[in-house]
Amino acid sequence: MCQGLSAPSPPFAALLSFALLFFLFAGGPVSAWRPWPQNGKMNVTDYAFGDSKKYEGSSEFVKLRYHMGPVLTTNITVHTIWYGKWDRNQKKIIREFVNSISATNSPHPSVAGWWRTVQLYTDQTGANISKTVRLGEEKNDRFYSHGKSLTRLSIQSVIKSAITAKTRPLPINPRSGLYLLLTADDVYVQDFCTSVCGFHYFTFPSLVGYTLPYAWVGNSAKMCPGQCAYPFAMPAYIPNPKPFKSPNGDVGVDGMISVIGHEMAELASNPLANAWYAGQDPSFPVEIADLCEGIYGTGGGGSYTGQVLDARDGATYNMNGIRRRFLVQWLWSHVLNYCTGPNALDH
């Protein structure tokens, strides 16, 4: 359930081979996105027990399997909770990314083309994940109703407050609803910046009253842009840092976009942790976005993002939305058996 970017790693090939073999027997943990390992060091525990799972290109060791659970085959509606203070333009960037998923008329390479890899995944009846993703209702929590420091359980309490609010509660849609909780740049969430930048799971009926697939993603602009907004910001320990220029002029939000895409792809293909994933333990799945962390273009892997595109203003992107451009990580195709995206040179 996690997405990540890459880190400098001289012994990367050796560690990768070991890590892939390790995953066959131990599985990997779940539910978070972390672009860079702490302190610039990559060790075996980063692969085996951390939230960053990186695979370069195709591999015979990747055993992604279907475990007979549901996927989101009906039209997907994204209900958004804006927790904390958000600028109007920040909301516009994120809304347009979500709207671009079903915008088939966007220029190539497009966000809709990226989502077509997600659509390849099916349920046990052979029904594909829906090609239709639309924005639903929104809830603003400007006054930090649960404080500025949240745990994973209190994340679910925020969702409960949103669906049970006295005024304009969010709709309750367990079948095709996707609940997206976005925290502002002054909100700390458990493990944020140290091991996660976002995660997805489902709510517990004992806490929320319903089983609802949800994702949380945080804005790292103030707390850890070098960890969670890479490659638009660089960790302090990287020598001669040269961050990419963000395509929408907001490092924190442009960094969030890839995390949001990561979590949405995995929610669609594994909403209840019993559908598409690698590994034997559903508590520690390796999912379709985890397998391609840090890969944004052909040749990507290790500390290289792959071949991406440069806009006239110098911004870096790899796909077009309706009116904006975005940099979003690739996804694993179980048909091709490797990571792919709309900007792949072999398309």
Side-chain angles (χ1 to χ4, degrees), residues 1-342:
M1 291 184 177
C2 60
Q3 180 201 16
L5 308 176
S6 45
S9 50
F12 189 84
L15 282 173
L16 180 63
S17 299
F18 178 86
L20 287 168
L21 290 170
F22 190 95
F23 269 124
L24 292 177
F25 302 99
V30 56
S31 77
W33 176 84
R34 182 186 63 178
W36 286 85
Q38 287 299 98
N39 303 318
K41 297 180 180 179
M42 185 177 293
N43 52 44
V44 171
T45 57
D46 278 318
Y47 291 104
F49 305 111
D51 289 300
S52 188
K53 296 170 278 288
K54 303 175 177 65
Y55 296 78
E56 289 186 80
S58 60
S59 175
E60 62 185 85
F61 296 111
V62 175
K63 303 297 183 183
L64 187 76
R65 293 188 175 92
Y66 177 54
H67 298 265
M68 305 307 289
V71 299
L72 300 185
T73 58
T74 56
N75 292 349
I76 300 167
T77 303
V78 180
H79 301 297
T80 309
I81 302 169
W82 303 98
Y83 192 84
K85 297 176 181 178
W86 290 87
D87 293 339
R88 180 178 300 179
N89 190 57
Q90 292 178 321
K91 291 183 177 182
K92 285 183 177 180
I93 295 169
I94 293 171
R95 287 177 186 137
E96 182 162 322
F97 172 71
V98 175
N99 280 328
S100 295
I101 291 174
S102 297
T104 55
N105 293 328
S106 297
H108 175 80
S110 68
V111 177
W114 170 82
W115 188 256
R116 278 196 284 273
T117 297
V118 183
Q119 290 175 241
L120 294 172
Y121 291 88
T122 61
D123 65 11
Q124 56 185 302
T125 70
N128 292 82
I129 290 174
S130 176
K131 65 179 180 180
T132 301
V133 179
R134 61 191 178 193
L135 284 171
E137 301 298 318
E138 296 186 355
K139 193 68 178 175
N140 292 292
D141 195 333
R142 301 180 186 89
F143 301 109
Y144 309 90
S145 62
H146 290 71
K148 290 189 175 183
S149 182
L150 304 175
T151 65
R152 294 191 182 223
L153 285 181
S154 63
I155 287 279
Q156 298 205 19
S157 297
V158 173
I159 297 172
K160 180 179 180 180
S161 295
I163 65 173
T164 59
K166 293 182 178 179
T167 58
R168 301 185 64 183
L170 291 184
I172 298 168
N173 187 352
R175 185 180 178 190
S176 61
L178 188 160
Y179 295 79
L180 183 61
L181 173 58
L182 305 175
T183 49
D185 58 13
D186 57 349
V187 177
Y188 175 75
V189 174
Q190 181 181 351
D191 299 324
F192 189 32
C193 297
T194 57
S195 61
V196 305
C197 301
F199 60 79
H200 77 89
Y201 207 54
F202 53 86
T203 60
F204 304 142
S206 58
L207 288 176
V208 179
Y210 305 89
T211 301
L212 305 173
Y214 75 91
W216 158 75
V217 179
N219 185 339
S220 66
K222 290 182 179 178
M223 296 186 184
C224 56
Q227 279 66 42
C228 293
Y230 172 85
F232 304 123
M234 293 288 178
Y237 52 77
I238 301 298
N240 303 315
K242 293 182 179 179
F244 291 170
K245 182 178 179 180
S246 65
N248 296 291
D250 189 309
V251 168
V253 173
D254 275 315
M256 290 178 72
I257 292 296
S258 191
V259 192
I260 291 170
H262 176 115
E263 302 303 342
M264 288 182 62
E266 293 185 341
L267 269 177
S269 57
N270 195 31
L272 301 181
N274 60 0
W276 288 95
Y277 63 87
Q280 301 301 314
D281 186 349
S283 299
F284 300 95
V286 181
E287 299 170 279
I288 69 170
D290 298 330
L291 293 165
C292 304
E293 289 183 359
I295 299 177
Y296 297 85
T298 299
S303 59
Y304 177 50
T305 59
Q307 296 191 42
V308 292
L309 304 170
D310 292 323
R312 290 182 179 179
D313 64 356
T316 299
Y317 70 102
N318 66 346
M319 58 188 74
N320 294 289
I322 300 170
R323 288 173 296 273
R324 299 177 184 268
R325 291 166 171 156
F326 305 100
L327 184 70
V328 185
Q329 69 148 90
W330 282 10
L331 301 170
W332 185 266
S333 167
H334 68 302
V335 175
L336 300 174
N337 202 37
Y338 56 77
C339 300
T340 189

